[in-house]
mmCIF file of all heavy atoms in Angstrom:
data_model
loop_
_atom_site.group_PDB
_atom_site.id
_atom_site.type_symbol
_atom_site.label_atom_id
_atom_site.label_comp_id
_atom_site.label_asym_id
_atom_site.label_seq_id
_atom_site.Cartn_x
_atom_site.Cartn_y
_atom_site.Cartn_z
ATOM 1 N N LEU A 532 26.275 -88.304 29.436
ATOM 2 C CA LEU A 532 27.254 -89.367 29.257
ATOM 3 C C LEU A 532 28.060 -89.229 27.982
ATOM 4 O O LEU A 532 29.227 -89.593 27.891
ATOM 5 C CB LEU A 532 26.639 -90.754 29.336
ATOM 6 C CG LEU A 532 25.988 -91.167 30.658
ATOM 7 C CD1 LEU A 532 25.358 -92.544 30.572
ATOM 8 C CD2 LEU A 532 27.049 -91.212 31.760
ATOM 9 N N ASP A 533 27.452 -88.648 26.930
ATOM 10 C CA ASP A 533 28.116 -88.388 25.670
ATOM 11 C C ASP A 533 29.375 -87.527 25.854
ATOM 12 O O ASP A 533 30.376 -87.703 25.228
ATOM 13 C CB ASP A 533 27.142 -87.780 24.656
ATOM 14 C CG ASP A 533 26.127 -88.813 24.170
ATOM 15 O OD1 ASP A 533 26.438 -90.032 24.231
ATOM 16 O OD2 ASP A 533 25.037 -88.397 23.737
ATOM 17 N N LEU A 534 29.247 -86.579 26.837
ATOM 18 C CA LEU A 534 30.400 -85.693 27.110
ATOM 19 C C LEU A 534 31.502 -86.466 27.757
ATOM 20 O O LEU A 534 32.688 -86.214 27.506
ATOM 21 C CB LEU A 534 29.948 -84.537 28.013
ATOM 22 C CG LEU A 534 28.836 -83.629 27.485
ATOM 23 C CD1 LEU A 534 28.439 -82.626 28.528
ATOM 24 C CD2 LEU A 534 29.331 -82.935 26.235
ATOM 25 N N LEU A 535 31.121 -87.468 28.568
ATOM 26 C CA LEU A 535 32.165 -88.248 29.267
ATOM 27 C C LEU A 535 32.878 -89.218 28.290
ATOM 28 O O LEU A 535 34.043 -89.578 28.515
ATOM 29 C CB LEU A 535 31.540 -89.144 30.356
ATOM 30 C CG LEU A 535 30.858 -88.283 31.536
ATOM 31 C CD1 LEU A 535 30.452 -89.237 32.642
ATOM 32 C CD2 LEU A 535 31.864 -87.267 32.106
ATOM 33 N N ILE A 536 32.174 -89.643 27.201
ATOM 34 C CA ILE A 536 32.762 -90.407 26.200
ATOM 35 C C ILE A 536 33.847 -89.636 25.457
ATOM 36 O O ILE A 536 34.995 -90.096 25.197
ATOM 37 C CB ILE A 536 31.755 -90.930 25.161
ATOM 38 C CG1 ILE A 536 30.768 -91.893 25.850
ATOM 39 C CG2 ILE A 536 32.429 -91.598 24.004
ATOM 40 C CD1 ILE A 536 29.645 -92.382 24.950
ATOM 41 N N GLU A 537 33.613 -88.350 25.268
ATOM 42 C CA GLU A 537 34.544 -87.463 24.586
ATOM 43 C C GLU A 537 35.781 -87.279 25.454
ATOM 44 O O GLU A 537 36.895 -87.137 24.942
ATOM 45 C CB GLU A 537 33.897 -86.097 24.329
ATOM 46 C CG GLU A 537 32.810 -86.165 23.245
ATOM 47 C CD GLU A 537 32.047 -84.805 23.103
ATOM 48 O OE1 GLU A 537 32.579 -83.814 23.666
ATOM 49 O OE2 GLU A 537 31.093 -84.780 22.315
ATOM 50 N N ARG A 538 35.593 -87.271 26.777
ATOM 51 C CA ARG A 538 36.708 -87.160 27.725
ATOM 52 C C ARG A 538 37.388 -88.446 28.041
ATOM 53 O O ARG A 538 38.316 -88.449 28.891
ATOM 54 C CB ARG A 538 36.216 -86.473 29.014
ATOM 55 C CG ARG A 538 35.551 -85.109 28.871
ATOM 56 C CD ARG A 538 34.995 -84.639 30.204
ATOM 57 N NE ARG A 538 34.061 -83.547 29.967
ATOM 58 C CZ ARG A 538 33.267 -83.125 30.957
ATOM 59 N NH1 ARG A 538 33.208 -83.718 32.135
ATOM 60 N NH2 ARG A 538 32.485 -82.044 30.731
ATOM 61 N N HIS A 539 36.889 -89.564 27.469
ATOM 62 C CA HIS A 539 37.454 -90.896 27.692
ATOM 63 C C HIS A 539 37.274 -91.404 29.114
ATOM 64 O O HIS A 539 38.052 -92.267 29.555
ATOM 65 C CB HIS A 539 38.963 -90.938 27.268
ATOM 66 C CG HIS A 539 39.193 -90.477 25.871
ATOM 67 N ND1 HIS A 539 38.770 -91.222 24.746
ATOM 68 C CD2 HIS A 539 39.755 -89.300 25.405
ATOM 69 C CE1 HIS A 539 39.134 -90.573 23.636
ATOM 70 N NE2 HIS A 539 39.702 -89.419 23.996
ATOM 71 N N THR A 540 36.301 -90.884 29.836
ATOM 72 C CA THR A 540 35.986 -91.351 31.134
ATOM 73 C C THR A 540 35.294 -92.756 31.016
ATOM 74 O O THR A 540 35.543 -93.635 31.821
ATOM 75 C CB THR A 540 35.096 -90.435 31.914
ATOM 76 O OG1 THR A 540 35.712 -89.152 31.998
ATOM 77 C CG2 THR A 540 34.774 -90.946 33.281
ATOM 78 N N ILE A 541 34.469 -92.868 29.971
ATOM 79 C CA ILE A 541 33.923 -94.145 29.577
ATOM 80 C C ILE A 541 33.988 -94.352 28.098
ATOM 81 O O ILE A 541 34.200 -93.311 27.382
ATOM 82 C CB ILE A 541 32.372 -94.273 29.996
ATOM 83 C CG1 ILE A 541 31.569 -93.139 29.357
ATOM 84 C CG2 ILE A 541 32.231 -94.262 31.517
ATOM 85 C CD1 ILE A 541 30.084 -93.198 29.645
ATOM 86 N N SER A 542 33.941 -95.551 27.632
ATOM 87 C CA SER A 542 33.959 -95.748 26.163
ATOM 88 C C SER A 542 32.625 -95.859 25.562
ATOM 89 O O SER A 542 32.462 -95.705 24.351
ATOM 90 C CB SER A 542 34.740 -97.073 25.891
ATOM 91 O OG SER A 542 34.071 -98.195 26.321
ATOM 92 N N GLY A 543 31.589 -96.036 26.404
ATOM 93 C CA GLY A 543 30.187 -96.137 25.845
ATOM 94 C C GLY A 543 29.304 -96.476 26.981
ATOM 95 O O GLY A 543 29.638 -96.637 28.171
ATOM 96 N N ARG A 636 30.344 -98.984 29.685
ATOM 97 C CA ARG A 636 31.478 -99.652 29.105
ATOM 98 C C ARG A 636 32.731 -98.894 29.227
ATOM 99 O O ARG A 636 32.724 -97.679 29.166
ATOM 100 C CB ARG A 636 31.153 -100.029 27.627
ATOM 101 C CG ARG A 636 29.894 -100.666 27.357
ATOM 102 C CD ARG A 636 29.776 -101.252 25.924
ATOM 103 N NE ARG A 636 30.599 -100.565 24.949
ATOM 104 C CZ ARG A 636 30.103 -99.602 24.130
ATOM 105 N NH1 ARG A 636 28.839 -99.251 24.230
ATOM 106 N NH2 ARG A 636 30.907 -99.065 23.272
ATOM 107 N N GLY A 637 33.844 -99.620 29.403
ATOM 108 C CA GLY A 637 35.153 -99.042 29.324
ATOM 109 C C GLY A 637 35.357 -97.977 30.413
ATOM 110 O O GLY A 637 35.964 -96.934 30.178
ATOM 111 N N LEU A 638 34.860 -98.221 31.612
ATOM 112 C CA LEU A 638 34.975 -97.230 32.766
ATOM 113 C C LEU A 638 36.423 -97.114 33.118
ATOM 114 O O LEU A 638 37.180 -98.027 33.401
ATOM 115 C CB LEU A 638 34.126 -97.810 33.939
ATOM 116 C CG LEU A 638 34.242 -96.992 35.206
ATOM 117 C CD1 LEU A 638 33.923 -95.555 35.000
ATOM 118 C CD2 LEU A 638 33.353 -97.646 36.283
ATOM 119 N N SER A 639 36.895 -95.832 33.093
ATOM 120 C CA SER A 639 38.269 -95.501 33.537
ATOM 121 C C SER A 639 38.288 -95.082 34.943
ATOM 122 O O SER A 639 37.529 -94.214 35.353
ATOM 123 C CB SER A 639 38.765 -94.412 32.608
ATOM 124 O OG SER A 639 40.065 -93.957 33.093
ATOM 125 N N TYR A 640 39.186 -95.730 35.745
ATOM 126 C CA TYR A 640 39.244 -95.407 37.127
ATOM 127 C C TYR A 640 40.319 -94.284 37.381
ATOM 128 O O TYR A 640 40.419 -93.856 38.520
ATOM 129 C CB TYR A 640 39.602 -96.660 37.888
ATOM 130 C CG TYR A 640 38.552 -97.717 37.923
ATOM 131 C CD1 TYR A 640 38.563 -98.724 36.975
ATOM 132 C CD2 TYR A 640 37.496 -97.635 38.770
ATOM 133 C CE1 TYR A 640 37.593 -99.759 36.897
ATOM 134 C CE2 TYR A 640 36.461 -98.648 38.749
ATOM 135 C CZ TYR A 640 36.481 -99.621 37.818
ATOM 136 O OH TYR A 640 35.507 -100.584 37.760
ATOM 137 N N ALA A 641 41.005 -93.861 36.371
ATOM 138 C CA ALA A 641 41.939 -92.819 36.482
ATOM 139 C C ALA A 641 41.248 -91.469 36.548
ATOM 140 O O ALA A 641 40.085 -91.304 36.063
ATOM 141 C CB ALA A 641 42.904 -92.817 35.346
ATOM 142 N N ASN A 642 41.945 -90.432 37.120
ATOM 143 C CA ASN A 642 41.426 -89.101 37.200
ATOM 144 C C ASN A 642 40.070 -88.995 37.753
ATOM 145 O O ASN A 642 39.180 -88.315 37.288
ATOM 146 C CB ASN A 642 41.412 -88.488 35.724
ATOM 147 C CG ASN A 642 42.769 -88.481 35.044
ATOM 148 O OD1 ASN A 642 43.780 -88.167 35.762
ATOM 149 N ND2 ASN A 642 42.862 -88.828 33.817
ATOM 150 N N GLY A 644 37.570 -91.098 37.958
ATOM 151 C CA GLY A 644 36.416 -91.431 37.038
ATOM 152 C C GLY A 644 35.188 -91.721 37.784
ATOM 153 O O GLY A 644 34.053 -91.362 37.359
#
Side-chain angles (χ1 to χ4, degrees):
L532 293 179
D533 288 336
L534 299 176
L535 298 185
I536 294 175
E537 295 175 5
R538 300 174 195 166
H539 304 290
T540 303
I541 58 175
S542 64
R636 304 193 334 263
L638 173 57
S639 172
Y640 295 95
N642 301 320

